[in-house]
């Protein structure tokens, strides 16, 4: 079963919002990888470079929600730890979508991935960015299917 999980990269319509830095939100797409060049490449493919230039890779982001419940810190060990973290920035729907796309590109860069599924990966993007995103998706993932 773990081989099947490692062989897929999935971007759901309701993707996760994590209360991490921008770089960590991208890198979490490939657990165990801490390659900053891979994070930059994934961000570039997702057209997230303007967000990164404006805010920086280390800027913490505030999650809108995660699944149906939201992040609960009250009374947890994370509550105390979160007080030492800079105030998180809020992102628009399109900016979150770009981070989720970058996470998908990060995951799909693994040599083990052979299946990529993207459910409405550009729903919150403007038309120009959406067009570029589709080109990047097609170009990047067309090599995953053997001829």
């Amino acid at each position: 079963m773990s081989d099947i999980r490692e062989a897929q990269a999935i971007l759901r319509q309701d993707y996760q919002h994590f209360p991490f830095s921008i770089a960590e939100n991208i890198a979490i797409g490939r657990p165990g990888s801490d390659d900053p060049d891979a994070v930059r490449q994934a961000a570039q493919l997702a057209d997230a470079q303007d967000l990164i230039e404006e805010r920086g890779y280390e800027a913490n982001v505030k999650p809108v929600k995660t699944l149906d419940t939201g992040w609960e810190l009250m009374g947890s060990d994370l509550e105390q730890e979160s007080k030492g973290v800079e105030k998180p920035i809020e992102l628009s729907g399109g900016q979150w979508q770009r981070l989720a796309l970058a996470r998908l590109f990060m995951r799909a860069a693994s040599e083990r991935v052979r299946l990529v599924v993207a459910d409405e990966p550009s729903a919150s993007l403007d038309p120009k960015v959406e067009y570029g995103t589709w080109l990047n998706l097609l170009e990047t993932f067309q090599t995953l299917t053997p001829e």
Side-chain angles (χ1 to χ4, degrees):
M1 186 58 100
S2 66
D3 287 345
I4 292 172
R5 280 190 220 110
E6 289 179 19
Q8 58 186 328
I10 299 173
L11 174 60
R12 292 175 175 79
Q13 187 174 3
D14 290 328
Y15 45 84
Q16 287 289 107
H17 298 92
F18 295 106
F20 306 142
S21 72
I22 290 173
E24 291 166 333
N25 261 282
I26 296 170
I28 201 170
R30 192 167 2 138
S33 175
D34 57 357
D35 179 5
D37 291 333
V39 170
R40 282 196 260 317
Q41 175 67 22
Q44 184 176 8
L45 288 169
D47 198 24
Q49 56 274 31
D50 61 335
L51 168 63
I52 293 162
E53 287 171 11
E54 178 184 334
R55 307 294 184 131
Y57 278 102
E58 297 309 314
N60 290 311
V61 294
K62 181 178 181 180
V64 177
K65 67 176 180 103
T66 59
L67 297 176
D68 295 326
T69 59
W71 285 93
E72 296 295 331
L73 297 180
M74 298 280 294
S76 72
D77 292 339
L78 287 175
E79 181 181 17
Q80 288 302 318
E81 202 169 311
S82 70
K83 290 180 181 178
V85 177
E86 70 182 71
K87 184 175 176 163
I89 59 172
E90 295 192 24
L91 301 179
S92 69
Q95 289 171 323
W96 271 114
Q97 187 139 36
R98 290 179 195 183
L99 284 184
L101 277 164
R103 196 179 307 142
L104 177 73
F105 282 115
M106 183 76 180
R107 173 84 177 149
S110 167
E111 294 177 1
R112 298 197 55 130
V113 171
R114 292 290 172 256
L115 172 68
V116 176
V117 177
D119 181 11
E120 296 191 31
S122 60
S124 297
L125 302 177
D126 64 66
K128 182 179 175 186
V129 174
E130 180 179 20
Y131 178 74
T133 297
W134 278 108
L135 290 178
N136 287 341
L137 284 167
L138 292 171
E139 183 178 318
T140 302
F141 302 135
Q142 71 184 349
T143 60
L144 294 178
T145 306
E147 294 182 23

